[in-house]
Amino acid sequence: MTSPAKQTRTLGSVSSGRKIKDRAAQALVYMAFLLALIPLVSVLWTVISNGVARLDADFFGFSMNGVSGKDAGGGAYHAIIGTLEQVLITSLIAVPIAVLTAIYLVEYGANGRLARAISFFVDVMTGIPSIVAGLFVLAMWLLTLGIMKEGAGFAGSLALAILMIPTVVRATEEMLKLVPNDLREASYALGVPRWRTICFVILPTALTGILTGIMLAVARVMGETAPLLLVIGFTKAINTNPLEGPQGSLPTFIWDQAGDPNQTAIDRAWTAALTLILIIMLLNILARLVARRHRPDAR
């Protein structure tokens, strides 16, 4: 009869074949990770190495008004202002709609017909090309209804909001589903109304993931060019009013400068691309700080 100590050693031992398979799986995971890093590092290195040439005060303090492609100097001040305004307006429009939609789908709609219809249209909107959103705003808001003047920055924000809403809806929905039901049941057991449970229990618990989804959506719409060219147009002058006249943006600035054969213009395009990456990084860092400050265990 086998002693208990010998049985323990036998059950705890791992065969050499399983060890080899485990090491092989680890090696494949590490290789896949390194392969995924190659294009990312390559893009970052290319943008940084080419973009630092014009990363100076003039680039952030001047516009391209009166500056041709071959002229030295000039900057993207007008494009940076336009991008920040357009993305801010887009977020103010899209985030409340998307978050409230996700709350309805998870907390109220369940498996109802309306919830299934909303989920279907959100999936459809997720896959539409960006130029379709620009065409919709151009045809409906500008040409058919005539609500806004052609070339207004607000029209570009409407097109970007169409692209941003489905991404935020899906991210928020998944984060809300990850909140344990025990938290909901404990809150309801204490007599807390559903709306207060959602505002003070569920949303704070899922805040970190929701902010991550919002930042991914912001990163997506901030680099869109096609809808902005359709509804905003292009200008080299400073326009801080998003409700009237063409307004610059970093994607259209990059498109314009990269199409110029002069090296000075190409340098400005690379610096604008680097600026766009830096803005997205700063927004991500800010979102993480806000999420860390407001997470439930930090109180």
Side-chain angles (χ1 to χ4, degrees), residues 208-229:
T208 302
I210 293 173
L211 287 178
T212 301
I214 292 173
M215 294 316 304
L216 289 175
V218 168
R220 179 198 173 188
V221 301
M222 193 174 284
E224 292 291 345
T225 307
L228 300 184
L229 289 174

Side-chain angles (χ1 to χ4, degrees), residues 7-296:
Q7 287 182 353
T8 303
R9 288 195 299 269
T10 303
L11 293 175
S13 62
V14 179
S15 63
S16 58
R18 295 180 62 182
K19 290 182 179 179
I20 294 174
K21 292 179 181 178
D22 180 67
R23 295 297 175 84
Q26 289 183 1
L28 289 176
V29 170
Y30 292 145
M31 289 178 60
F33 175 71
L34 292 176
L35 288 175
L37 281 180
I38 290 174
L40 176 62
V41 174
S42 176
V43 170
L44 288 176
W45 174 255
T46 303
V47 174
I48 292 174
S49 60
N50 290 281
V52 294
R54 277 300 321 275
L55 200 65
D56 50 33
D58 290 344
F59 185 83
F60 296 99
F62 294 91
S63 68
M64 289 296 295
N65 196 20
V67 181
S68 64
K70 64 180 179 180
D71 294 336
Y77 175 78
H78 63 297
I80 295 173
I81 294 296
T83 292
L84 294 178
E85 288 186 353
Q86 293 156 24
V87 172
L88 176 61
I89 295 173
T90 300
S91 301
L92 293 176
I93 296 172
V95 172
I97 295 174
V99 172
L100 291 175
T101 301
I103 291 174
Y104 172 79
L105 292 176
V106 177
E107 303 296 333
Y108 292 95
N111 296 320
R113 290 185 177 180
L114 180 59
R116 290 197 297 268
I118 292 174
S119 296
F120 171 76
F121 284 110
V122 168
D123 292 336
V124 172
M125 290 176 62
T126 303
I128 63 172
S130 59
I131 195 171
V132 174
L135 286 172
F136 171 77
V137 174
L138 179 66
M140 181 62 69
W141 290 83
L142 300 182
L143 301 182
T144 303
L145 301 179
I147 296 177
M148 299 175 58
K149 294 182 180 181
E150 185 175 358
F154 187 78
S157 298
L158 293 177
L160 296 180
I162 296 174
L163 301 174
M164 187 175 180
I165 287 175
T167 304
V168 179
V169 169
R170 279 291 170 250
T172 305
E173 184 181 1
E174 294 302 322
M175 291 301 105
L176 294 178
K177 289 180 179 178
L178 292 177
V179 177
N181 286 326
D182 294 343
L183 293 177
R184 296 179 174 88
E185 294 172 358
S187 180
Y188 297 150
L190 294 173
V192 180
R194 175 174 289 185
W195 71 270
R196 289 182 65 89
T197 301
I198 293 173
C199 293
F200 298 104
V201 177
I202 299 175
L203 286 179
T205 304
L207 181 61
T208 302
I210 293 173
L211 287 178
T212 301
I214 292 173
M215 294 316 304
L216 289 175
V218 168
R220 179 198 173 188
V221 301
M222 193 174 284
E224 292 291 345
T225 307
L228 300 184
L229 289 174
L230 281 175
V231 298
I232 295 180
F234 178 77
T235 180
K236 295 183 177 182
I238 300 172
N239 180 17
T240 58
N241 184 6
L243 300 178
E244 184 177 0
Q247 192 176 40
S249 64
L250 283 173
T252 56
F253 179 86
I254 296 170
W255 170 80
D256 176 69
Q257 296 297 309
D260 196 300
N262 296 288
Q263 186 60 41
T264 53
I266 296 175
D267 291 339
R268 285 190 289 262
W270 281 113
T271 306
L274 178 59
T275 303
L276 190 60
I277 293 175
L278 292 176
I279 291 175
I280 295 173
M281 289 179 59
L282 290 175
L283 291 177
N284 274 279
I285 293 173
L286 179 62
R288 289 182 180 275
L289 292 176
V290 172
R292 182 178 299 178
R293 181 178 179 85
H294 291 85
R295 64 185 180 185

